[in-house]
Amino acid sequence: MTFAMVVNVSQIAQPFVDENFGWILNVVFYLFFIIFIFYGQRIQMYVMLKEVEGSLLRLKYIKEEGRKIAIETIKEIGKPSHDPSERVDRFLEYFALPPESMDPAGVVWKLEHILDVRDIRFKDEVKLMAPSASETQINNLENTLEAALALNYIYKVVRHFYILGKKTLSLYIIMQLQMILPLVMREAEAYASALKAFAYGQPIGDGVGALVAAKLMHGHEKRKIAKDCVVATVPLEGRTAYVIKAEGPGGNVGKPGEAMKTIIEENDGKISTIIIIDAALKLEGEKPGEVAEGIGVAIGGPGVEKFKVEESLLKHRIPINAVIIKEDVGDAVSPMRKEIFEAADEAIKRIKRVILEKTKEGDSLIIAGIGNTIGIGQ
Amino acid sequence: MELDNRKGERLAEKKSETAGTTETTARRISSFVIVVIFVTLALSLVALYFAVDIYQRNEVAAGYFFLIGFVGLALSSYMLLQMRKRVLKWRIKLPPIITIIECQKCGFKNIREFKRGDYVFKEMDACEKCNEPMMITGIYREIKEPKKKEEKF
Ligand SMILES: [Zn+2]
């Protein structure tokens, strides 16, 4: 039937095609020109908006998936008496406002206080959601929820600018959004894989510093120091090394700055050097798991811990060394890659070399492994 | 501050109501696009048939129809491929995570998939060979990167 119809159409169209086809095509051609001259930018804007919409849909999907995983994990480990969904949704909207920095003196301590309060609040909330979870699991769940919170926030910000762009049809807003979107999506994807790693309690790339410290302190006696941190006194190449890491295997970054400060004070400042090991963002083109040495306090995060260490260093004039292991954003928060895992041994070699070169026998030194210690014991 | 909090709660409530509908919206949009693509595909095939049909009588018109047909064909197949790629990309992929369990005494190694509760330096059951307790010495994911051409930089 369709065939017959098509044949018919072609027969009817015959004279029409002969006479008018060229003329119609000409008009269409000019019309195109005029439309593009006057509405070119608008069309381009719609194309951009469409592109953003696609990414926004994907963000929404990722965010919903994250929420679902978080709720499922809470149900599985926490065994709550009633559905935690509502509480999770409320959690996803939590915010922390930074302190006022117009008069910056002492702002670090204010920020630290706010972060502490936030941490306690989050932990309490998780305990209520998952009453039968162990301490380790509570830490992991808190990390999972924080990743879900970040995803939720990214989605909402992108949606805000998308709707604003659509409302105002401002090229300025739409173009900015469309241009940074690839980076935003990368970050969102990183958070999504982090969320899964946290839910299962798998070590992540960021934890490689903690892994190095764990390898050094394994088999030696540990004691708790500062909040969520452990220290072990390890004899190393004839020196006494105080090895510090966050307490695992729950998801934790601890307060390494506080811990280092305490050790320095316990030793009356008689520390010959400090070596900090941390994961660092690599530049594109560098290989994941490359180890590099340098100086400076290699502690990320809001800067409170870094500040504390720098204060103590200055007071006692202690030299500081850093060993970093390179990885990209995605690797840093997703389950640890083999290359990065293997880089831990290379980092230990470097540390030993630094110790031999920079200290004398009988000296005391601090080795601190920075990073989230999820899935890494000691 | 308190007011902000309450606003947040209300937002959360609203969100939990709408949360269930997201997936269906996503699916509806994509199915609509698929229909459009297939209609384009069908129309361009018709145009090609048309072109062949009138080729004997009017070469110029046939040429135009060929053009329309091929452009439509290219466009719709490109869109279709693009859609497939997007569907593939939409899954959050979970690479296999490996746990290595090692005996500290005889070096006996056991490699298996990661299980919840595993962590590095966790003490495990006794070794099959010498009855010493074993320990997890590694947890990581292995990425098999597709072989690329030698990179210039
Ligand atoms: Zn054995």
Side-chain angles (χ1 to χ4, degrees), chain A residues 164-235:
Chain A
L164 197 65
K166 221 173 163 180
K167 263 188 192 162
T168 57
L169 274 186
S170 147
L171 188 65
Y172 174 69
I173 294 170
I174 299 167
M175 213 163 165
Q176 275 191 85
L177 182 58
Q178 189 253 359
M179 281 164 118
I180 59 154
L181 211 54
L183 298 175
V184 173
M185 291 310 284
R186 257 185 86 158
E187 198 157 321
E189 250 142 70
Y191 272 118
S193 54
L195 195 138
K196 286 209 164 168
F198 289 144
Y200 286 97
Q202 292 159 343
I204 56 171
D206 179 52
V208 67
L211 179 67
V212 170
K215 283 192 168 185
L216 286 172
M217 68 163 64
H218 184 67
H220 297 276
E221 202 181 317
K222 294 127 209 153
R223 65 186 160 99
K224 272 197 94 152
I225 190 166
K227 185 172 156 264
D228 297 327
C229 268
V230 286
V231 61
T233 314
V234 181

Side-chain angles (χ1 to χ4, degrees), chain B residues 10-146:
Chain B
R10 232 178 298 138
L11 251 172
E13 271 168 38
K14 221 183 270 171
K15 213 168 58 94
S16 65
E17 279 168 21
T18 54
T21 59
T22 46
E23 250 177 273
T24 46
T25 350
R27 217 171 284 151
R28 199 168 58 218
I29 285 166
S30 61
S31 66
F32 174 71
V33 173
I34 286 175
V35 167
V36 169
I37 289 170
F38 275 106
V39 167
T40 318
L41 196 70
L43 281 177
S44 44
L45 285 177
V46 168
L48 282 180
Y49 175 79
F50 215 34
V52 174
D53 196 48
I54 63 169
Y55 186 70
Q56 299 290 320
R57 281 162 285 170
N58 188 339
E59 278 186 33
V60 180
Y64 283 124
F65 277 117
F66 268 125
L67 192 71
I68 291 167
F70 279 122
V71 167
L73 208 65
L75 218 68
S76 50
S77 50
Y78 171 76
M79 296 255 276
L80 214 64
L81 279 179
Q82 210 58 4
M83 289 276 298
R84 225 199 65 191
K85 215 191 269 170
R86 200 194 282 174
V87 169
L88 286 181
K89 260 174 73 185
W90 268 48
R91 287 179 200 198
I92 301 176
K93 47 189 185 293
L94 238 192
I97 315 285
I98 298 165
T99 298
I100 297 176
I101 306 165
E102 229 174 307
C103 173
Q104 294 309 100
K105 208 174 170 195
C106 69
F108 174 71
K109 246 188 197 176
N110 184 6
I111 298 175
R112 65 158 168 78
E113 215 171 289
F114 177 89
K115 275 190 208 143
R116 182 171 275 167
D118 284 0
Y119 62 86
V120 180
F121 294 128
K122 184 185 185 185
E123 298 241 333
M124 301 297 281
D125 299 337
C127 169
E128 284 172 28
K129 288 189 175 162
C130 58
N131 256 346
E132 285 285 308
M134 293 178 59
M135 200 177 61
I136 295 180
T137 53
I139 298 172
Y140 54 73
R141 87 192 141 112
E142 213 167 339
I143 303 176
K144 287 186 189 78
E145 291 209 16

Side-chain angles (χ1 to χ4, degrees), chain A residues 223-291:
Chain A
R223 65 186 160 99
K224 272 197 94 152
I225 190 166
K227 185 172 156 264
D228 297 327
C229 268
V230 286
V231 61
T233 314
V234 181
L236 205 66
E237 313 279 350
R239 284 82 167 158
T240 310
Y242 295 96
V243 183
I244 297 169
K245 82 181 267 289
E247 190 175 15
N252 238 335
V253 287
K255 287 197 169 189
E258 188 76 48
M260 275 186 253
K261 194 176 151 195
T262 314
I263 300 280
I264 292 171
E265 267 152 30
E266 277 176 9
N267 287 277
D268 296 322
K270 290 190 185 68
I271 296 287
S272 55
T273 193
I274 293 179
I275 304 169
I276 292 180
I277 309 103
D278 196 5
L281 282 190
K282 75 179 182 74
L283 298 171
E284 285 299 327
E286 289 181 315
K287 282 194 187 67
E290 257 180 32
V291 181

